[in-house]
């Protein structure tokens, strides 16, 4: 296939994906998936019935991001009022007296689980970046600075990075919440232009390049000791190909802003994930391998498929190659397998090695991954 044909095909595929997101998924989550208190549904049955049991703060934050992305792609629904209502409900209901945000709310947007952890705080920062830009309200950037102050004052770790708060396994440290801090502060920097956010994002990028990424293979490690050495035993060898793609996408963005080593980091992460993390038979990105490339968990969740799309789409814009365009189209086809459910606009989440699905409700958290991938396909 020629470069021009591959590029044209990808544009057509991106337009089709955008129609599904804007015409099918967004109206469902904006109507059935809303509470009177201004929250979005946490999950729905595959028949489209929302579950009111709890509402995690990071999921509400992801929905704010998702509907801003959907709005940028041209959805003509009330995306700005939805974002405005939810960010206000989140700040009013989830913020603790010490400046951290709780883990879960109830259906009335009142605290249900008051623990705070780093992963949740990172997504609150992303929601604040999104709201500040989408609503043209810089005060949300000020709220983000307050939260960053709280994180740095209370959870800074002498070995680098941050401790994870009150709900995760204290035995290990993880790259994942740091990745989302990187994502959030990069978004804050891009939206606000404030030097503080640029510096914070650069600090996390340095941490990834020097501690989280295995120098021998270019693979992203997941679990670490207190001093950020790889965790002992098999834990310290686990690699999630989806996270390799996600970090590659972030480093591509950093490279576009001028960081000299960023594209090289992306190249190595992408090469490892494509070499060892794709099941060609099912056309999916699998959950886990080890640093030697051997399988560790060959189930395939929905979210790694979206990270595969994002990495290929952003790299195609930089490199302009047929190979990246074709990979983005393959990744989109892999993701769309997950949409075969009774209610259009929902999805399955976990694909077994034999091609069967784990029965469960559709998680709302996946909308963030899908919206981000489709926005990247549409041009970032």
């Amino acid at each position: 296939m020629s470069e021009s044909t591959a590029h044209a095909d990808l544009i057509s595929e991106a337009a089709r994906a955008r129609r599904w997101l804007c015409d099918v998924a967004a109206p469902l989550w904006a109507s059935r998936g809303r509470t009177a208190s201004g929250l979005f549904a946490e999950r729905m049955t595959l028949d489209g019935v929302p579950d009111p049991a709890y509402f995690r703060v990071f999921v509400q934050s992801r929905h704010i991001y998702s509907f801003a992305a959907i709005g940028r792609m041209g959805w003509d629904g009330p995306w700005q009022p939805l974002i405005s209502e939810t960010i206000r409900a989140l700040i009013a209901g989830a913020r603790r007296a010490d400046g951290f945000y709780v883990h879960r709310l109830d259906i009335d947007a009142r605290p249900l689980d008051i623990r705070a952890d780093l992963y949740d705080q990172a997504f609150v920062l992303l929601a604040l970046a999104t709201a500040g830009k989408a609503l043209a309200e810089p005060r949300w950037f000020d709220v983000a600075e307050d939260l960053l102050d709280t994180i740095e004052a209370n959870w800074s770790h002498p070995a680098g990075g941050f401790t994870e708060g009150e709900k995760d396994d204290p035995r290990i440290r993880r790259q994942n919440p740091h990745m989302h801090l990187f994502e959030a502060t990069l978004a804050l920097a891009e939206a606000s232009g404030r030097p503080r956010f640029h510096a914070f994002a650069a600090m996390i990028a340095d941490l990834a390049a020097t501690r989280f990424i295995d120098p021998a293979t270019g693979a992203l490690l997941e679990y670490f000791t207190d001093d950020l050495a790889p965790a002992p035993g098999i834990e310290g060898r686990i690699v999630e190909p989806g996270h390799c793609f996600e970090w590659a996408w972030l480093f591509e963005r950093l490279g576009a802003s001028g960081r000299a080593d960023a594209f090289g980091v992306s190249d190595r992460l992408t090469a490892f994930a494509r070499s060892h993390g794709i099941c060609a038979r099912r056309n999916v990105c699998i959950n886990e391998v080890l640093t030697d490339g051997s399988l560790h968990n060959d189930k395939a969740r929905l979210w790694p498929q979206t990270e595969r799309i994002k990495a290929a789409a952003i790299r195609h814009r930089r490199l302009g190659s047929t190979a990246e365009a074709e990979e983005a189209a393959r990744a989109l086809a892999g993701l769309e397998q997950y949409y075969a459910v009774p209610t259009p606009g929902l999805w399955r989440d976990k694909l077994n090695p034999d091609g069967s699905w784990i029965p469960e409700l559709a998680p709302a958290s996946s909308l963030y991954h899908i919206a981000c991938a489709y926005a990247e396909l549409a041009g970032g």
Side-chain angles (χ1 to χ4, degrees), residues 118-380:
L118 189 62
Y119 187 88
D120 291 344
Q121 312 312 306
F123 277 104
V124 172
L125 287 168
L126 182 62
L128 292 165
T130 302
K133 180 177 180 179
L135 303 175
E137 295 181 4
R139 67 193 179 94
W140 297 121
F141 304 142
D142 298 333
V143 177
E145 293 221 44
D146 290 342
L147 177 54
L148 213 52
D149 287 342
T150 302
I151 292 169
E152 290 186 310
N154 292 277
W155 290 349
S156 291
H157 194 288
F162 302 91
T163 57
E164 295 191 31
E166 301 162 0
K167 81 176 192 64
D168 290 295
D169 185 352
R171 205 175 41 84
I172 56 171
R173 299 181 67 193
R174 299 177 301 156
Q175 66 75 25
N176 194 28
H178 292 85
M179 178 182 69
H180 289 298
L181 275 180
F182 181 25
E183 177 187 22
T185 50
L186 194 57
L188 282 161
E190 292 167 349
S192 72
R194 297 185 183 183
R196 194 250 182 107
F197 298 133
H198 282 281
F200 195 100
M203 177 268 291
I204 298 292
D206 290 341
L207 197 65
T210 60
R211 308 304 292 272
F212 297 155
I213 295 172
D214 177 32
T217 63
L220 176 79
L221 305 180
E222 292 288 333
Y223 304 112
F224 301 87
T225 63
D226 197 55
D227 61 357
L228 289 183
I234 203 164
E235 276 187 324
R237 298 171 55 213
I238 292 173
V239 179
E240 295 189 21
H243 281 153
C244 291
F245 285 132
E246 197 164 5
W247 274 103
W249 171 70
L250 290 165
F251 270 96
E252 288 283 336
R253 288 169 60 188
L254 202 61
S257 70
R259 181 168 171 132
D261 66 337
F263 293 137
V265 174
S266 168
D267 289 343
R268 295 195 77 202
L269 288 166
T270 302
F272 183 92
R274 288 178 179 170
S275 295
H276 305 294
I278 305 298
C279 172
R281 175 176 55 84
R282 289 173 290 163
N283 186 27
V284 291
C285 178
I286 62 174
N287 287 354
E288 294 177 346
V289 298
L290 300 181
T291 47
D292 63 3
S294 59
L295 288 176
H296 187 62
N297 176 350
D298 59 351
K299 293 184 174 68
R301 291 195 63 190
L302 181 151
W303 71 263
Q305 318 319 314
T306 68
E307 305 308 330
R308 181 186 176 195
I309 293 169
K310 285 159 59 179
I314 198 169
R315 288 170 61 81
H316 177 253
R317 282 205 305 283
R318 171 167 66 93
L319 301 170
S321 71
T322 300
E324 294 295 346
E326 291 177 341
E327 170 62 8
R330 281 193 300 271
L332 178 60
L335 170 63
E336 289 176 334
Q337 301 174 79
Y338 292 73
Y339 300 163
V341 295
T343 302
L346 298 179
W347 41 76
R348 298 186 187 274
D349 184 45
K350 300 181 181 72
L351 177 63
N352 287 314
D354 65 1
S356 64
W357 299 94
I358 294 176
E360 59 186 332
L361 279 65
S365 58
S366 298
L367 183 62
Y368 146 82
H369 292 288
I370 296 165
C372 189
Y374 287 7
E376 201 59 58
L377 277 174

